[in-house]
Amino acid sequence: MKTGFVIALLVIAMLCASSLAQEMTAEDWSKKGEDELFNNSSFEGALQAFNKAVELDSTNATLWLHKAQVHEFMGDRGMAVEAYNEALKFTDEDLQKNPDDADAWWNRGVILDSLDRQTEAKEAREKAVQVYNQTLSDNPEDGETWFKMAEVLISLNRREEAIAAYEKSIEMNSSKAGMAAITISHLLAEAGRYDEALVASDMALNLTSPDNVQDMKLVLGIKGNILAEEAKRPEEALQAFDEALRLDPEDRTALGYRASVLKDLHMYNESVEAYQKAIELVSDEGLWKTNAWIGKGDALLASGRRDEAMEAYRSALEVIELKIQENPEDTRAWESKGRALFKMEMYEEATEAFDRSIEVSPGPYAISSASDAAWAGKGDALLKLGRNEEALEAFRQAIEIFPLNGDAWQGKGEALQALGKRIEGDWAFQMAEKLGYRE
């Protein structure tokens, strides 16, 4: 799971406010948007809810930010930029009224990052840290501020400091203690400290109310992914995903993860069934369904059912083409098209699709960016075409954008070996393995 995407989801989860009001206020619609995004995996439902929230509270910068981020997830960069600019306008108005509003400085950093204005984004986040530090110097037992501090420190890539701040928020019984432990688990896994990450995920489970199904599923998903991808303990990963499905039998995200683990365990028929159930649960023709079709195709292909696999990949392409017709600049749709074509051994066409994804992709800091995956996919296609020097450059581009891309490191190793550079290739393979690369 790509780190930027995971952190983005966690940030949205933290920012979305809960409400007990009986009438549908802006906060209620914001909560509904969160539910649609996390519980139903519905970008369309989330967007409708955040649109309602903005209608009721049109000067709320945070609601505009949520709206922009959902547009990003849906691949509509143009609409996202418009919403980000509205969020920035109202954030700046808030800061004019109160220059010491740390939350507003933090929001400003998120918005500017999403608009590819990284220098200004860093300045805004540093200002947020400065104000949070002042708050904590006055009240070092403020667990809520420790949590916010940790979130900003992540965005500044100060990860060890962020982990320490999350630990302080847990120590001070912050209302976000469970979310803090979830994020610690993710950060430790990213650093290759898998045993510690699993301890943190178990802590998160203990700190999360069993009634909070949304957060319980999130913890189990992260724990399952660590077990499957990094710790290489697929049987235990399967248990985590099964537990998530006991909480919500129609959680298509958990079904997708479960299907992937079943495939890794060579339980291909069960994997195909799980992917098919996930497909049936998806009402919209979006990239969730695309990934399920591709996963189903992979399981079918691994079991020797080639004709059925090709049919699954064609079904994925049908969904993707609809997305591209709706938005010709949907970078994730073009990247998915490249993957489907690659699976069908149409390498020239796949290269063209990956090139198009790269061409229309926003900056690498944007939620909707697929540029590192597209560069890695292009490298794979070029390798198949025997264009090894070009493939090596594509993998280098992917790694430059996202150094933790295990697929890109594996591809770089294969390209180097194809060029007769065995020692350099072996080193790249070692990096891929450390990053949890799996066939």
Side-chain angles (χ1 to χ4, degrees):
M1 184 181 293
K2 183 173 175 179
T3 303
F5 184 74
V6 174
I7 295 300
L9 289 176
L10 293 174
V11 169
I12 292 177
M14 193 283 301
L15 289 172
C16 288
S18 61
S19 173
L20 299 176
Q22 292 182 350
E23 295 182 1
M24 291 297 282
T25 64
E27 286 188 76
D28 291 320
W29 282 112
S30 180
K31 174 62 175 172
K32 181 173 174 58
E34 177 188 0
D35 289 341
E36 289 290 334
L37 190 62
F38 292 99
N39 291 336
N40 301 328
S41 299
S42 172
F43 295 144
E44 289 79 5
L47 182 60
Q48 290 173 9
F50 287 128
N51 278 338
K52 286 286 189 180
V54 166
E55 287 176 14
L56 292 170
D57 190 358
S58 61
T59 63
N60 188 313
T62 300
L63 294 179
W64 278 105
L65 175 56
H66 295 335
K67 175 177 161 67
Q69 289 171 320
V70 175
H71 277 303
E72 282 267 44
F73 284 131
M74 296 176 71
D76 193 340
R77 178 65 178 172
M79 292 295 291
V81 168
E82 290 182 19
Y84 281 130
N85 281 323
E86 288 296 304
L88 182 61
K89 178 178 72 175
F90 294 120
T91 298
D92 285 345
E93 289 180 6
D94 291 341
L95 287 169
Q96 286 178 358
K97 297 173 187 173
N98 180 11
D100 290 327
D101 185 339
D103 294 350
W105 282 112
W106 174 22
N107 270 1
R108 193 172 198 272
V110 174
I111 297 162
L112 290 167
D113 225 357
S114 301
L115 291 171
D116 294 326
R117 294 162 61 178
Q118 273 72 56
T119 300
E120 296 169 86
K122 183 178 180 182
E123 291 171 355
R125 285 166 168 150
E126 293 286 5
K127 179 63 176 178
V129 169
Q130 178 183 335
V131 179
Y132 285 140
N133 268 327
Q134 182 58 52
T135 301
L136 290 169
S137 67
D138 295 336
N139 183 10
E141 297 184 358
D142 184 346
E144 309 306 312
T145 298
W146 276 114
F147 182 87
K148 293 176 181 180
M149 171 71 91
E151 295 283 288
V152 180
L153 289 168
I154 285 180
S155 65
L156 290 168
N157 205 30
R158 292 159 62 177
R159 306 230 161 174
E160 289 300 324
E161 294 175 74
I163 289 173
Y166 281 127
E167 289 172 343
K168 290 291 289 185
S169 76
I170 294 170
E171 180 186 341
M172 301 304 166
N173 295 314
S174 162
S175 64
K176 302 291 194 306
M179 186 64 71
I182 292 171
T183 314
I184 289 172
S185 176
H186 180 77
L187 293 173
L188 290 170
E190 191 176 76
R193 296 157 62 182
Y194 306 129
D195 290 340
E196 295 173 76
L198 291 170
V199 170
S201 67
D202 286 335
M203 180 192 297
L205 287 171
N206 291 330
L207 289 169
T208 303
S209 168
D211 297 329
N212 188 342
V213 174
Q214 174 184 303
D215 283 359
M216 288 290 289
K217 290 192 300 181
L218 180 59
V219 180
L220 288 164
I222 290 177
K223 180 177 180 178
N225 272 288
I226 295 168
L227 287 165
E229 297 185 18
E230 280 87 15
K232 296 180 174 59
R233 292 153 60 180
E235 291 86 358
E236 294 172 72
L238 196 60
Q239 292 175 10
F241 297 134
D242 283 343
E243 180 60 29
L245 288 167
R246 277 192 285 274
L247 294 171
D248 181 1
E250 296 191 349
D251 186 337
R252 62 189 186 183
T253 303
L255 273 169
Y257 287 145
R258 182 175 185 273
S260 178
V261 173
L262 287 167
K263 176 164 59 70
D264 292 340
L265 290 169
H266 307 297
M267 300 170 67
Y268 300 123
N269 291 335
E270 294 90 337
S271 178
V272 169
E273 290 175 7
Y275 277 123
Q276 183 58 38
K277 186 173 181 181
I279 290 165
E280 292 169 359
L281 287 171
V282 179
S283 58
D284 58 287
E285 298 295 316
L287 296 184
W288 290 94
K289 183 170 283 189
T290 297
N291 290 331
W293 276 118
I294 291 176
K296 181 181 177 180
D298 291 345
L300 287 164
L301 194 62
S303 66
R305 297 154 66 181
R306 180 179 172 77
D307 290 344
E308 293 175 78
M310 292 302 113
E311 184 59 35
Y313 296 140
R314 281 190 287 272
S315 294
L317 278 174
E318 290 175 7
V319 176
I320 295 165
E321 291 296 356
L322 289 173
K323 293 296 293 180
I324 291 174
Q325 286 176 22
E326 292 173 5
N327 179 10
E329 296 192 353
D330 187 335
T331 180
R332 290 190 181 277
W334 282 107
E335 189 272 333
S336 294
K337 181 175 182 178
R339 280 192 289 124
L341 290 166
F342 179 87
K343 301 284 186 180
M344 298 172 72
E345 300 179 4
M346 301 170 67
Y347 303 125
E348 291 283 3
E349 294 88 342
T351 301
E352 292 173 5
F354 288 129
D355 276 337
R356 180 61 178 156
S357 177
I358 294 164
E359 180 183 343
V360 301
S361 182
Y365 292 93
I367 292 171
S368 62
S369 177
S371 52
D372 73 295
W375 276 113
K378 179 180 178 179
D380 287 333
L382 290 168
L383 271 181
K384 291 292 187 181
L385 293 168
R387 294 157 60 181
N388 300 324
E389 288 281 3
E390 294 174 76
L392 180 58
E393 179 56 29
F395 291 125
R396 283 173 174 160
Q397 291 284 349
I399 292 166
E400 182 177 344
I401 294 169
F402 186 56
L404 301 178
N405 187 326
D407 292 340
W409 280 104
Q410 179 70 18
K412 181 178 180 180
E414 292 172 6
L416 287 165
Q417 286 208 337
L419 292 166
K421 299 178 180 180
R422 184 180 58 81
I423 295 175
E424 297 95 323
D426 287 344
W427 186 83
F429 289 142
Q430 290 176 29
M431 284 295 298
E433 184 177 359
K434 288 179 181 178
L435 294 170
Y437 171 78
R438 296 180 299 157
E439 291 287 349

